[in-house]
């Protein structure tokens, strides 16, 4: 398939050792695509725990690479955060998310 015909398929396997990501929010910013997504950092039985927001980047919406993850900075984020929504306003990226 040509890059324009290929479906966007990507999941982060760096946290649980298997591909997993949800709640994708994709924006175009400064000539690149940025993907913000929810991913758990650990699992106990069937429970996915300690969610963080992962960040991946692409130039074509097909080939992605992980470039980072947000880390907890405040006490109210102690159980994690997820469900990102990214938007570009002016020349800045604004990211909204949920915490528990």
């Amino acid at each position: 398939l040509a890059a324009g015909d290929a479906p966007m398929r990507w999941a982060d396997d760096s946290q649980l050792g298997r591909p997993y990501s949800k709640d994708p929010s994709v924006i175009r910013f400064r000539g690149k695509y940025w993907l913000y997504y929810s991913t758990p950092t650990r699992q106990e039985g069937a429970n996915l725990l300690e969610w963080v927001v992962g960040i991946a980047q692409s130039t074509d919406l097909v080939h992605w690479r992980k470039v980072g993850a947000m880390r907890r900075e405040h006490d109210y984020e102690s159980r994690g955060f997820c469900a990102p929504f990214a938007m570009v306003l002016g020349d800045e990226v604004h990211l909204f998310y949920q915490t528990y």
Side-chain angles (χ1 to χ4, degrees):
L1 294 173
D5 298 330
M8 179 183 154
R9 293 185 184 150
W10 186 83
D12 186 346
D13 62 1
S14 69
Q15 299 295 325
L16 299 178
R18 61 181 168 82
Y20 191 96
S21 55
K22 66 182 239 175
D23 307 320
S25 182
V26 178
I27 59 169
R28 183 169 170 80
F29 183 68
R30 296 187 180 166
K32 297 178 183 170
Y33 296 99
W34 296 84
L35 167 63
Y36 298 87
Y37 57 92
S38 302
T39 188
T41 60
R42 69 184 182 94
Q43 183 172 1
E44 287 181 10
N47 297 319
L48 300 172
L49 304 170
E50 296 180 8
W51 292 83
V52 297
V53 172
I55 307 165
Q57 187 182 81
S58 173
T59 57
D60 62 7
L61 292 174
V62 176
H63 302 95
W64 293 88
R65 68 181 176 88
K66 182 176 180 177
V67 295
M70 293 176 52
R71 296 293 174 214
R72 292 181 286 281
E73 295 183 15
H74 307 284
D75 289 342
Y76 58 80
E77 298 170 331
S78 65
R79 292 182 55 204
F81 45 88
C82 59
F85 170 71
M87 65 184 295
V88 178
L89 289 174
D91 195 35
E92 294 181 326
V93 174
H94 295 259
L95 186 67
F96 302 87
Y97 60 90
Q98 300 180 152
T99 189
Y100 299 95

